[in-house]
Amino acid sequence: MIFDTHAHYDSGAFNADRFDILASMPEKNVGLIVDPGCDLESSRAAIALAEKYDFVYADVGWHPEDMDKLTDEGFDEMIKLMHHPKCVAVGEIGLDYYWDAEHKDEQKALFIRQIELALELDKPVIVHDREAHGDSFDIVSRYPALRGVFHCYSGSAEMAKWLIARGWYIGFTGVVTFKNARKAVEVAEKIPLDRILIETDCPYMAPEPFRGRRNDPSLVPFVAKKIAELRGISAEAAAAATAENARRLFRI
């Protein structure tokens, strides 16, 4: 059974066939999905999908790329959603200096605010870290009780080992199948299997040989297969191990 730990079904890319795709997941051996929110609207949508499908769970959070939508009222409403019984984590939160390097202080303040909420609620966090490794590392290191996953991991093997030693998980998308993905491959080879999660990040990051097309959880087995090849185990064993890891993190 595959557990896709990061799939954006609130995306407009799925407006035409969202419910057909979700209904087909069990027959494709995708048994569990986590849909992360990125602002109030997408967090509401994630919760609605989690209420509709037994195998879908939600994360609720405010993504750094969506800071322009942030209001006090919206943030307060998002906090209410975090108390929903099918909200399993606070996320997707973090830092993104690729799209916005001009508002670093504001991004860091929002990240810290949501980390502290996660600790109050005793929930893990889903961290987005794009070209912000140093600041992401610095911030999470201030909170030794914090747990979660660095999704679509793009940092170093050394940073991954530091995170794992403190109880964190590392998430891999279809990027690990790309020919130029040397850093992701190195990390996937070196870290313990019991700290690896697999994800689509759909509709983005489709694995080879589907790179460039719309992604969906029916393609996450290709990520499991790549992890298996790197670890010298079967694809079934990789899927089972990563699913168990996700259940442990999200308490499902």
Side-chain angles (χ1 to χ4, degrees), residues 186-233:
E186 178 188 9
V187 174
E189 286 176 326
K190 291 185 176 180
I191 65 174
L193 180 60
D194 67 359
R195 291 290 153 174
I196 292 177
L197 304 185
I198 57 175
E199 55 180 271
T200 51
D201 199 15
C202 68
Y204 320 106
M205 304 297 182
E208 296 288 3
F210 305 100
R211 187 175 182 179
R213 61 164 272 187
R214 186 188 71 172
N215 199 3
D216 70 62
S218 69
L219 301 182
V220 78
F222 289 88
V223 182
K225 180 180 177 183
K226 182 64 177 182
I227 297 295
E229 291 173 357
L230 295 172
R231 311 294 304 204
I233 59 177

Side-chain angles (χ1 to χ4, degrees), residues 34-224:
V34 169
D35 187 318
C38 294
D39 56 17
L40 178 57
E41 182 181 1
S42 58
S43 292
R44 284 174 174 160
I47 290 290
L49 288 172
E51 290 177 337
K52 184 177 178 65
Y53 296 97
D54 289 344
F55 58 88
V56 176
Y57 290 81
D59 303 331
V60 172
W62 217 293
H63 193 288
E65 285 183 41
D66 293 292
M67 284 186 60
D68 60 322
K69 303 175 186 176
L70 182 63
T71 64
D72 290 339
E73 295 80 7
F75 195 86
D76 289 343
E77 181 64 26
M78 184 191 68
I79 293 172
K80 295 177 183 177
L81 293 176
M82 290 177 181
H83 289 83
H84 192 283
K86 291 201 77 178
C87 172
V88 294
V90 173
E92 175 179 356
I93 65 176
L95 304 174
D96 192 315
Y97 297 166
Y98 177 82
W99 290 110
D100 181 5
E102 295 182 6
H103 299 91
K104 292 182 180 181
D105 289 342
E106 293 89 343
Q107 288 191 41
K108 287 187 278 188
L110 179 61
F111 189 21
I112 290 167
R113 188 178 180 188
Q114 293 182 94
I115 284 173
E116 292 177 351
L117 272 172
L119 289 168
E120 286 179 23
L121 296 169
D122 191 28
K123 293 182 185 291
V125 294
I126 312 301
V127 176
H128 172 97
D129 165 26
R130 189 168 187 188
E131 296 192 7
H133 305 320
D135 284 346
S136 297
F137 182 89
D138 175 64
I139 289 171
V140 301
S141 68
R142 301 176 200 172
Y143 299 91
L146 188 66
R147 298 292 181 268
V149 55
F150 270 63
H151 105 92
C152 193
Y153 187 75
S154 59
S156 67
E158 290 72 24
M159 181 176 170
K161 290 175 182 178
W162 183 95
L163 290 165
I164 288 164
R166 286 151 182 81
W168 285 76
Y169 293 79
I170 305 297
F172 294 94
T173 65
V175 169
V176 77
T177 71
F178 297 173
K179 293 178 181 179
N180 61 345
R182 289 171 295 191
K183 188 180 289 187
V185 166
E186 178 188 9
V187 174
E189 286 176 326
K190 291 185 176 180
I191 65 174
L193 180 60
D194 67 359
R195 291 290 153 174
I196 292 177
L197 304 185
I198 57 175
E199 55 180 271
T200 51
D201 199 15
C202 68
Y204 320 106
M205 304 297 182
E208 296 288 3
F210 305 100
R211 187 175 182 179
R213 61 164 272 187
R214 186 188 71 172
N215 199 3
D216 70 62
S218 69
L219 301 182
V220 78
F222 289 88
V223 182

